[in-house]
């Protein structure tokens, strides 16, 4: 029973970074005094200490510089009589080099055993308000996934809790995206307008931008799926367009949502080790659009009508704050085309995916192909075999919505053509060098699209 209980708590511990439960007390129902003929006497202290499980709630996150591990005592253990259990706290840590982003999920971690971990702290830890333990690990390495266990003076440690230490320059959180776009607005007030176009699920302002003065425009949408690409590439492109291509922006402008699922992206920035896709309501925003929403799809082995699936479409079309904000903003500006950034770990490549519904409409497919060819034509690395649009996007997706509702070519940007780059981002090994390469690629591709749209007759 103890074993199954431990497994349950471990599972709960991995369901998200907010309010993690490290574990509970192993035998909370065991009396701490034993009844004897002579009345109650204290239990042998060794037995109490060995069986005693200290920490009730815990949390682990990366704050941009260090990993923080915290845990709370249960109320009853505030009492002085238990204080000796907390004389020396222990923190164990283990690196998890073979954990694969997007392949393994939470089940990888519970199988790990603290006995193989390193004891990185064994000392007195003063609890805050006599209840909360707080440990800072400043010796972590960027790009490494760790498991932590926490323990009192004796007994089995609680854990593991997993965290991935991601480069904050490669994974931008909400605040960073917002401050970057606001600084562009301040630097180029006549060309950049930053707006709050709605609210995120967590009720934070949802950021949209208008860049340029042209009547015709292109739309860019970043990181609808939290673990994928967007703000880091898009913001770089905007910065460089404003530095070097203002003439072009006066002819064709951009409407931009740099980070379309920022609540969940922040969890990844804070160290959630495995791939996250949906919004905080566990809805896949890219299945929630009012475009054939009723038809159930089973791509990737997930059913869109299953609330537990990673591609859950939501309660009704447009049920999510993020979806309605995107719809309102895009409809208002009527772009010529839309690029939505996907793939993995801040990198999207040259692969274009369009709505599978468009396969019924050769004229629309040709419009899509014209734009994709403009983009590919600007690339240094060309691959004729890969230069084709995959018309595979499903019901409820942005590309299908673009086609059905707005007669607008809209694409999910997916894998890099270069297999080595794809392998690197798929494993969450994107570094600043790889990111820079794709920032430059997309800058070239978008300049080509702006020029191509400018040259169009209408
Ligand atoms: Zn995606």
């Amino acid at each position: 029973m103890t074993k199954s209980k431990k497994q349950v708590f471990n599972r709960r511990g991995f369901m998200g970074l907010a309010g993690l439960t490290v574990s509970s007390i192993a035998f909370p129902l065991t009396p701490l005094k034993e009844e004897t003929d002579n009345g109650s006497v204290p239990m042998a202290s060794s037995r109490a200490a060995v069986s005693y499980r200290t920490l009730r709630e815990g949390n682990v996150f990366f704050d941009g510089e260090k990993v923080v591990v915290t845990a709370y005592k249960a109320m009853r253990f505030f009492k002085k009589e238990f204080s000796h259990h907390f004389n020396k706290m222990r923190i164990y840590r283990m690196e998890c080099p073979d954990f694969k982003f997007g392949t393994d999920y939470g089940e990888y971690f519970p199988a790990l055993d603290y006995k193989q971990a390193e004891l990185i702290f064994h000392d007195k830890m003063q609890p805050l308000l006599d209840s909360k333990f707080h440990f800072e690990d400043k010796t972590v390495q960027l790009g490494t996934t760790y498991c932590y266990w926490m323990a009192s003076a004796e007994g089995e440690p609680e854990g593991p809790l997993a965290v991935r230490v991601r480069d904050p320059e490669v994974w931008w959180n909400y605040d960073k995206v917002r401050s970057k776009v606001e600084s562009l607005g301040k630097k180029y007030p006549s060309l950049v307008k930053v707006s709050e176009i709605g609210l995120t699920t967590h009720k934070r302002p949802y950021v949209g931008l208008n860049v340029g003065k042209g009547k015709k425009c292109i739309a860019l949408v970043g990181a609808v799926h939290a673990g994928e690409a967007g703000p880091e590439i898009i913001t770089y492109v905007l910065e460089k367009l404003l530095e070097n291509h203002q003439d072009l922006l006066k002819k064709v402008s951009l409407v931009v949502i740099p980070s379309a699922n920022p609540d969940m992206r922040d969890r990844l920035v804070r160290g959630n080790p495995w791939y996250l896709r949906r919004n905080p309501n566990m809805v896949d925003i890219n299945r929630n659009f009012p475009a054939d929403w009723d038809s159930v799809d089973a791509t990737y082995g997930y059913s869109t009508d299953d609330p537990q699936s990673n591609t859950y479409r939501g309660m009704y079309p447009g049920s999510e704050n993020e979806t309605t904000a995107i719809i309102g903003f895009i409809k208002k500006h009527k772009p010529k085309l839309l690029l939505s950034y996907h793939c993995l770990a801040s990198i999207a490549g040259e692969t274009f995916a369009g709505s599978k519904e468009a396969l019924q409409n050769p004229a629309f497919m040709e419009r899509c192909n014209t734009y994709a060819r403009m983009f590919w034509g600007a690339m240094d690395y060309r691959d004729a075999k890969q230069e084709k649009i995959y018309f595979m996007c499903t019901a409820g997706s942005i590309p299908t919505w673009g086609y059905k509702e707005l007669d607008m070519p809209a694409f999910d940007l997916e894998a890099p053509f270069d297999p080595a780059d794809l392998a690197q981002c798929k494993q969450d090994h994107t570094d600043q060098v790889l990111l820079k390469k794709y920032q430059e690629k997309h800058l070239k591709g978008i300049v080509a699209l702006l020029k191509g749209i400018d040259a169009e007759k209408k």
Side-chain angles (χ1 to χ4, degrees):
M1 186 202 158
T2 306
K3 196 176 173 214
S4 70
K5 194 168 192 174
K6 184 175 182 212
Q7 284 165 348
V8 167
F9 283 116
N10 280 338
R11 288 297 305 167
R12 283 182 61 196
F14 290 105
M15 294 316 284
L17 282 173
L20 290 179
T21 302
V22 175
S23 176
S24 189
I25 290 121
F27 76 122
L29 301 178
T30 305
L32 287 159
K33 288 171 188 262
E34 286 180 326
E35 296 297 323
T36 69
D37 292 341
N38 301 325
S40 72
V41 296
M43 275 170 62
S45 63
S46 62
R47 183 183 158 192
V50 168
S51 312
Y52 185 75
R53 304 282 297 275
T54 54
L55 304 165
R56 250 202 109 191
E57 288 184 319
N59 203 349
V60 59
F61 58 91
F62 178 57
D63 73 354
E65 290 172 353
K66 58 190 178 291
V67 166
V68 179
V69 185
T70 66
Y72 283 91
K73 277 188 219 175
M75 293 292 282
R76 57 189 279 243
F77 298 118
F78 288 22
K79 293 176 188 165
K80 284 244 172 350
E81 66 199 87
F82 298 115
S83 61
H84 66 281
H85 292 289
F86 303 98
N87 278 346
K88 275 201 170 176
M89 300 294 288
R90 288 170 290 155
I91 303 280
Y92 295 86
R93 186 182 81 184
M94 183 192 284
E95 287 187 25
C96 310
D98 54 344
F99 177 73
K100 288 184 183 62
F101 185 70
T103 305
D104 291 329
Y105 297 92
E107 60 264 38
Y108 170 91
F109 297 105
L112 302 176
D113 185 349
Y114 82 94
K115 292 188 192 81
Q116 267 90 55
E118 186 189 352
L119 180 64
I120 60 165
F121 178 87
H122 191 193
D123 209 342
K124 178 86 181 162
M125 202 185 290
Q126 199 59 49
L128 181 70
L129 298 174
D130 207 27
S131 67
K132 183 180 184 181
F133 294 100
H134 178 105
F135 175 77
E136 294 182 353
D137 185 2
K138 293 175 181 154
T139 65
V140 292
Q141 299 290 319
L142 281 183
T144 305
T145 303
Y146 297 95
C147 268
Y148 288 86
W149 289 259
M150 199 180 220
S152 61
E154 293 178 58
E156 294 274 300
E158 313 291 338
L161 287 178
V163 65
R164 180 158 180 86
V165 178
R166 294 194 173 89
D167 187 345
E169 295 300 320
V170 172
W171 289 84
W172 293 9
N173 68 8
Y174 175 88
D175 290 337
K176 183 159 179 164
V177 174
R178 206 168 164 194
S179 82
K180 287 261 184 186
V181 299
E182 276 169 3
S183 73
L184 288 179
K186 281 196 189 107
K187 195 168 175 189
Y188 304 99
S190 67
L191 286 170
V192 178
K193 189 176 142 221
V194 182
S195 323
E196 295 178 2
I197 59 169
L199 293 172
T200 70
T201 302
H202 287 163
K203 305 286 190 282
R204 295 188 288 184
Y206 199 64
V207 177
L209 289 95
N210 297 75
V211 178
K213 285 185 178 297
K215 275 216 170 87
K216 293 191 273 194
C217 67
I218 292 176
L220 308 178
V221 178
V224 154
H225 293 142
E228 305 187 10
E232 303 82 9
I233 289 175
I234 290 172
T235 311
Y236 177 84
V237 168
L238 297 180
E239 211 173 332
K240 293 295 158 191
L241 290 173
L242 287 159
E243 276 172 24
N244 305 318
H245 298 278
Q246 290 198 3
D247 287 354
L248 204 46
L249 290 175
K250 284 170 185 160
K251 294 175 191 156
V252 182
S253 53
L254 292 148
V255 293
V256 182
I257 297 167
S259 194
N261 186 4
D263 295 336
M264 291 302 266
R265 208 164 204 277
D266 279 9
R267 286 203 189 184
L268 287 156
V269 178
R270 278 168 70 85
N272 185 97
W274 55 88
Y275 170 73
L276 294 175
R277 176 181 178 93
R278 294 169 288 175
N279 78 352
N281 292 334
M282 297 291 107
V283 174
D284 184 342
I285 299 166
N286 207 34
R287 300 290 182 276
N288 188 237
F289 280 74
D292 291 340
W293 181 90
D294 286 335
S295 72
V296 174
D297 184 86
T299 305
Y300 311 131
Y302 295 118
S303 185
T304 54
D305 63 348
D306 172 2
Q308 279 82 50
S309 106
N310 226 356
T311 59
Y312 177 49
R313 64 185 172 179
M315 296 279 278
Y316 54 90
S319 59
E320 302 310 298
N321 281 3
E322 293 83 3
T323 314
T324 53
I326 297 169
I327 290 173
F329 194 53
I330 298 301
K331 276 192 163 173
K332 184 172 162 193
H333 296 290
K334 301 186 177 59
K336 292 284 176 186
L337 76 141
L338 182 152
L339 302 179
S340 180
Y341 285 73
H342 287 262
C343 197
L344 282 167
S346 304
I347 299 299
E350 305 93 324
T351 303
F352 276 55
S355 173
K356 60 178 158 191
E357 293 300 310
L359 289 166
Q360 316 302 321
N361 186 337
F364 184 83
M365 285 171 73
E366 189 42 36
R367 280 169 60 204
C368 292
N369 276 307
T370 303
Y371 292 135
R373 282 194 293 260
M374 287 175 189
F375 186 93
W376 293 323
M379 297 295 118
D380 299 325
Y381 178 93
R382 304 288 303 276
D383 183 340
K385 272 193 284 209
Q386 296 190 80
E387 287 180 6
K388 59 168 192 157
I389 299 173
Y390 295 84
F391 289 99
M392 54 171 277
C393 298
T394 64
S397 67
I398 291 178
T400 299
W401 174 73
Y403 170 61
K404 289 253 164 183
E405 293 287 308
L406 302 179
D407 187 36
M408 169 188 72
F411 307 98
D412 286 351
L413 296 183
E414 297 284 358
F417 286 175
D418 186 327
D421 294 349
L422 176 61
Q424 194 177 340
C425 69
K426 262 177 105 165
Q427 296 193 15
D428 197 4
H429 291 164
T430 303
D431 56 16
Q432 293 183 30
V433 174
L434 185 69
L435 176 61
K436 181 77 194 241
K437 179 174 173 182
Y438 282 83
Q439 287 171 329
E440 292 294 343
K441 266 183 195 289
H442 286 281
L443 174 62
K444 284 182 184 160
I446 288 168
V447 167
L449 284 167
L450 291 170
K451 285 182 178 164
I453 299 264
D454 178 45
E456 281 181 343
K457 285 186 192 77
K458 50 176 187 168

